[in-house]
Amino acid sequence: MEPEPQPRQHRSPRAPSPLAAAAVALCGVCAFLELYCTQPLLPMLTKVFHASKTAAGMTVSAATLGVALSAPVFGALTERMARKRVIVTSLVGISLPTLLAATSGSLAQLIFWRFLEGITLPGIVAVVVTYIGEEWPAEQVALIMSVYVSGTALGGFTGRILSGIIAETFNWRVSFLALGAAALLGASLVAAWLPHGRNRHAPAAGVSHATFAQQVQGLFRSPRLVATFAVGFNVLFSLVGVFTWITFHLAAPPFLLSTTALSSLFFVYLVGLVATPAAGYVITKVGLRTGVGGAIGCSMAGVLLTLAPSLPVVIAGLTLLSSGVFIAQTAAQSFLRVAAPAGSRVTAAGTYMTFYYLGGTAAGVVPGAFWALGKWPACVGFIVAMQAVGLGIALVGWRSPQPALVTARADG
């Protein structure tokens, strides 16, 4: 057994109210309402704009690319700004290009507005992760992080299901108008419910004056953080890769699913809403490394099940995949809080988001080459191979020192 690190003496913050936890969950909901809303629309968009599958997939990749490019810079710029102000402003900001996307006259215009949606999102995602670590006691961080991840799952589910149903009932433009309006409403509720930060610690001596480049260089000198960035890339790659390309698989024979039916597939996210908080509690008992290993293994099994010719089995596979991804994300973000140095935690979260969303960007495009080779079975083989690499990185990179909760308490 590896020796446990000696805890530093810091007083744990008093936990905010349950309403604050609800606001954190709502941040996740609003941030992810729009990000993947075009996934169930992809077969429709290929027909509307007379575009290829890969071109339509860029409506997914453009948004995640925007996140990936802006996340580290956004993190550095907001490192010393009030957390709540950044979060609420970003929630308002992400709704505007969503509303403007409804005016798109071409696929290129739609892709542009989708890119702008992604640019603002790190102001929510990276900052909320840091906010949780600062405002809740260390022994509750994994649990509250799981509540936030559940919110992202609910947002992703709601955005996908609403976009498909509204698009088929009315048209795809109304989908963007509805989601943009919902994001504005969510921003007002977060402004009312989320408390201003009370437990933000001053950075250690010498850290507060570090430039962005120096902070990033310091992050990449940590093998634990590098492994966490790689895990983040892999986690979103598997989720986006499966849910983007399986829409073409299920829209074709023998399944022949409609746009509304494709949207309904995302009901599997509801299982993740229940499983992720429960898994957050379990992770506090078994440790982050064991938790992420089990989660990635669960995801791999789910991807393999989607090869079945039976729709119920495919749905079961998607359920395992999404639940495993949400749990792995909870573990990775909790590990990030432990491993990142004080004074650079928003920058670390932003860098993590860059790798995470680069994974989503690649997943919207790269599997297209495998689709051309062997359609969905070839995509499955490639995605599972990527997951196996991610599993190995997590097990090796998080091995020493073991980031048990006593470590998290030490950094509290």
Side-chain angles (χ1 to χ4, degrees), residues 4-13 132-134 136-143 145 201 224 283-284 287-288 331 333-340 345 401-412:
E4 294 181 344
Q6 294 299 314
R8 293 177 299 186
Q9 298 301 316
H10 286 309
R11 184 177 61 185
S12 293
I132 292 171
E134 291 172 344
W136 271 268
E139 62 273 12
Q140 295 184 22
V141 166
L143 180 60
M145 199 73 74
H201 300 299
R224 300 165 75 201
I283 287 173
T284 64
L288 299 176
Q333 290 185 324
S334 299
F335 189 100
L336 187 72
R337 159 64 185 166
V338 173
R345 283 179 177 142
Q402 176 75 19
L405 285 188
V406 64
T407 311
R409 281 192 286 270
D411 286 351

Side-chain angles (χ1 to χ4, degrees), residues 126-321:
V127 179
V128 167
V129 170
T130 303
Y131 180 91
I132 292 171
E134 291 172 344
E135 298 305 314
W136 271 268
E139 62 273 12
Q140 295 184 22
V141 166
L143 180 60
I144 300 301
M145 199 73 74
S146 70
V147 171
Y148 164 70
V149 173
S150 291
T152 68
L154 178 60
F157 158 76
T158 304
R160 290 168 169 108
I161 194 74
L162 287 180
S163 66
I165 293 174
I166 294 173
E168 193 156 72
T169 303
F170 301 99
N171 60 64
W172 64 270
R173 298 180 191 276
V174 179
S175 295
F176 285 100
L177 291 175
L179 294 178
L184 284 176
L185 175 61
S188 66
L189 294 176
V190 171
W193 294 350
L194 192 70
H196 291 284
R198 303 168 301 167
N199 302 297
R200 189 171 175 179
H201 300 299
V207 175
S208 60
H209 301 292
T211 66
F212 170 66
Q214 289 171 333
Q215 287 187 7
V216 172
Q217 289 173 5
L219 298 179
F220 279 93
R221 284 194 289 266
S222 168
R224 300 165 75 201
L225 284 175
V226 171
T228 306
F229 300 154
V231 169
F233 178 97
N234 205 282
V235 163
L236 193 60
F237 183 92
S238 61
L239 185 69
V240 174
V242 169
F243 277 98
T244 295
W245 292 92
I246 202 171
T247 59
F248 298 112
H249 174 59
L250 296 178
F255 299 103
L256 296 173
L257 298 188
S258 66
T259 301
T260 297
L262 290 174
S263 294
S264 299
L265 291 175
F266 296 99
F267 274 105
V268 301
Y269 273 42
L270 296 180
V271 177
L273 297 182
V274 177
T276 304
Y281 175 78
V282 173
I283 287 173
T284 64
K285 304 300 181 183
V286 303
L288 299 176
R289 181 168 171 264
T290 300
V292 78
I296 295 176
C298 175
S299 296
M300 294 172 69
V303 176
L304 292 172
L305 284 178
T306 64
L307 291 171
S310 166
L311 185 59
V313 177
V314 171
I315 292 173
L318 293 175
T319 303
L320 284 176
L321 163 71

Side-chain angles (χ1 to χ4, degrees), residues 59-81:
T59 61
V60 179
S61 293
T64 56
L65 180 62
V67 180
L69 293 178
S70 68
V73 178
F74 214 118
L77 291 176
T78 61
E79 186 74 70
R80 297 173 182 84
M81 297 175 65

Side-chain angles (χ1 to χ4, degrees), residues 95-104 109 113 116-117 173 176-177:
S95 66
L96 300 180
T98 303
L99 294 169
L100 290 170
T103 68
S104 301
Q109 290 179 12
W113 292 122
L116 290 187
E117 286 177 22
R173 298 180 191 276
F176 285 100
L177 291 175

